[in-house]
Amino acid sequence: MWVHLNGELVEESGALLSVFDRGFLYGDGIFESMRAVAGVVFREGRHLDRLGRSAAGIGLPLPLAVSGFSAAIRDILDSNRLREARIRVTITRGEGRPGDYLEAHGPPSVVISATRFEGVDPALHRSGVRAAVARRRQIPPEALDPAVKSISRLTSVLARREAREVGAFEAILLDGEGRLTEGTVSNLFLVLGGGLMTSPAPAGGLPGITREAVVELARAASIRFSEEPLPAGLLDVADEIFLTNTTWEVLPVVQVGERTVGGGVPGPMTRQLLARYRELVRIECASGLDGRGEEARS
């Protein structure tokens, strides 16, 4: 595989960073994950806009303009002969020294990689997954803005391991007040009384690109939608629950802890939104638009 490292295409085995890189030392960096369909990145413009907001949120100057990132992504897809791909852009503050929290001596480090998109096992969309409420709480926004897509993922890693210990696919995180926020790598939606609800972004989690698309689709279908702080108790009464992210798309949850959701099968609204989301991805990528009405790479 070829990797784009600091402006150069290099083979995976030669894509090396300094042991003093601040991403390695402190998790001082940001990332963005995207999906390419038929060689076109779904809503690339919105992903790169969010990358810019994450960089601004931690005071990290981006070393490339948006057009530079787009060109690098194209290079990665072409070099690896990928049309259906998962792309990751990682940027750290660059080289520093252990113990020095303030200074980065080198320019930011930029790594762009791509792998073949495979998604989750299709059986999980048909049968649904189990989730668990993590004992570990979400990092409060006063400590780290949830809108920043930070590479510092230890809280999520530990919560996900906690979920795995009880046989769950994903962990659901609560805030300090015991309200629902998001999953470790996903946004969380509930269906109750025919309406769709989710926690507000960014207070309730990362403003996901897939999350945004699902909200648009729900409104277009005249589905009643609310974005508000959600008590954890709603997990006990929700008719349907699902998770969203770039790789999982719209993933049904049929069990939370010991409670079976919706009779243990994916519900009608979840199935409807999954079908509509897949159609949206297909149409936007086929049309060559980046989700902002602008021409994307093809």
Side-chain angles (χ1 to χ4, degrees):
M1 299 294 289
W2 291 88
V3 175
H4 218 285
L5 174 64
N6 295 331
E8 300 289 338
L9 276 171
V10 298
E11 291 189 32
E12 181 181 355
S13 60
L16 307 176
L17 289 174
S18 168
V19 295
F20 297 118
D21 190 275
R22 290 175 62 89
F24 173 69
L25 293 176
Y26 308 122
D28 185 5
I30 57 174
F31 77 102
E32 193 68 31
S33 296
M34 313 177 201
R35 178 184 176 185
V37 176
V40 175
V41 178
F42 177 63
R43 299 200 166 183
E44 179 186 274
R46 300 193 194 193
H47 278 288
L48 293 179
D49 286 347
R50 187 172 66 180
L51 183 71
R53 292 192 298 272
S54 291
I58 66 169
L60 173 61
L62 288 180
L64 293 175
V66 168
S67 59
F69 281 107
S70 293
I73 291 169
R74 166 52 51 201
D75 286 346
I76 281 296
L77 293 176
D78 290 346
S79 298
N80 292 301
R81 299 180 181 179
L82 292 172
R83 301 276 289 167
E84 313 293 322
R86 184 178 186 273
I87 302 143
R88 173 163 167 143
V89 179
T90 306
I91 306 173
T92 78
R93 209 178 298 272
E95 199 170 326
R97 283 289 182 267
D100 186 348
Y101 274 37
L102 295 177
E103 300 301 329
H105 302 295
S109 300
V110 180
V111 181
I112 304 175
S113 60
T115 56
R116 186 174 306 281
F117 181 86
E118 296 178 348
V120 297
D121 184 340
L124 298 183
H125 283 113
R126 295 192 298 268
S127 62
V129 300
R130 179 182 179 186
V133 177
R135 296 187 303 273
R136 192 175 305 274
R137 296 298 175 99
Q138 176 71 291
I139 296 173
E142 296 83 4
L144 180 64
D145 185 351
V148 172
K149 200 167 173 68
S150 165
I151 64 173
S152 305
R153 309 296 294 172
L154 187 57
T155 295
S156 293
V157 168
L158 295 177
R160 193 79 178 276
R161 290 175 65 88
E162 181 185 327
R164 186 180 65 179
E165 290 172 0
V166 296
F169 183 83
E170 171 65 307
I172 297 171
L173 298 169
L174 306 180
D175 66 13
E177 303 298 321
R179 296 171 298 205
L180 299 169
T181 60
E182 59 184 351
T184 64
V185 293
S186 60
N187 289 117
L188 173 71
F189 286 84
L190 308 182
V191 178
L192 183 61
L196 182 67
M197 58 182 64
T198 190
S199 301
L206 181 77
I209 304 300
T210 307
R211 173 191 185 277
E212 180 183 51
V214 166
V215 171
E216 292 172 11
L217 291 167
R219 287 175 168 154
S222 298
I223 294 172
R224 178 165 44 85
F225 171 72
S226 63
E227 189 178 37
E228 58 188 276
L230 303 177
L234 288 178
L235 293 173
D236 296 328
V237 295
D239 301 315
E240 301 177 40
I241 300 173
F242 63 84
L243 307 165
T244 62
N245 71 18
T246 295
T247 302
W248 299 351
E249 302 174 304
V250 177
L251 185 63
V253 174
V254 296
Q255 187 174 350
V256 177
E258 299 305 317
R259 188 220 169 199
T260 299
V261 180
V265 296
M269 189 179 297
T270 303
R271 298 196 306 271
Q272 174 190 358
L273 288 171
L274 172 61
R276 288 176 179 266
Y277 174 75
R278 287 176 167 172
E279 181 68 3
L280 175 70
V281 171
R282 186 191 67 79
I283 290 173
E284 287 195 5
C285 290
S287 68
L289 297 180
D290 70 355
R292 296 183 302 187
E294 300 176 3
E295 186 175 352
R297 301 169 300 104
S298 60

